[in-house]
Amino acid sequence: MSNIERFDVGPRLSEMAVHNGVVYLAGQVPDDATQDIKGQTAQVLGMVDRLLARVGSDKTKILRAQLYIKDLADLAGMNEAWDAWVPAGHTPPRATVQAHLAKPEWKIEVVVTAAV
């Protein structure tokens, strides 16, 4: 039987779980929602970096990224922050979807699955 290791377990969700050499992150949202899409995206990608580092992984090992964006008019700014962050030669499979997010001030939420 394989173990599941959960991190930052709360009553509603865990920030991440590791199972069979794969890390699954919860949706990451900005702490400072007063920033524009580039600022919010950079914050969230930094959170992804920090979470992956906690389990010995990094952005070169991302297996899949799902990006939820509030307004497609912000797509260019989001892509600018993404392109500055993602390492050349390690661009993961990615989906970007327009979505209503849990808080109206959030412009982006990112979900990542990565190898450990």
Side-chain angles (χ1 to χ4, degrees):
M1 183 161 132
S2 297
N3 290 335
I4 299 172
E5 186 177 8
R6 299 182 197 282
F7 295 78
D8 304 330
V9 179
R12 185 164 290 136
L13 61 90
S14 296
E15 282 300 326
M16 68 179 159
V18 177
H19 178 67
N20 283 342
V22 177
V23 57
Y24 303 87
L25 272 54
Q28 300 301 303
V29 294
D31 286 328
D32 179 2
T34 64
Q35 294 187 4
D36 65 7
I37 188 63
K38 285 172 51 178
Q40 288 194 24
T41 302
Q43 282 181 63
V44 169
L45 296 175
M47 292 171 177
V48 168
D49 282 334
R50 287 186 293 280
L51 285 168
L52 293 177
R54 286 178 61 190
V55 294
S57 187
D58 63 57
K59 60 189 167 190
T60 67
K61 297 177 182 174
I62 294 176
L63 300 171
R64 176 172 132 173
Q66 297 169 285
L67 286 68
Y68 301 93
I69 186 170
K70 180 179 180 179
D71 186 346
L72 288 178
D74 284 335
L75 187 61
M78 184 210 68
N79 277 330
E80 191 174 330
W82 173 269
D83 292 345
W85 175 79
V86 73
H90 294 281
T91 51
R94 181 185 112 171
T96 304
V97 177
Q98 183 174 10
H100 293 286
L101 302 178
K103 290 188 177 180
E105 62 270 23
W106 290 342
K107 297 180 181 297
I108 188 162
E109 182 167 355
V110 176
V111 179
V112 164
T113 303
V116 175

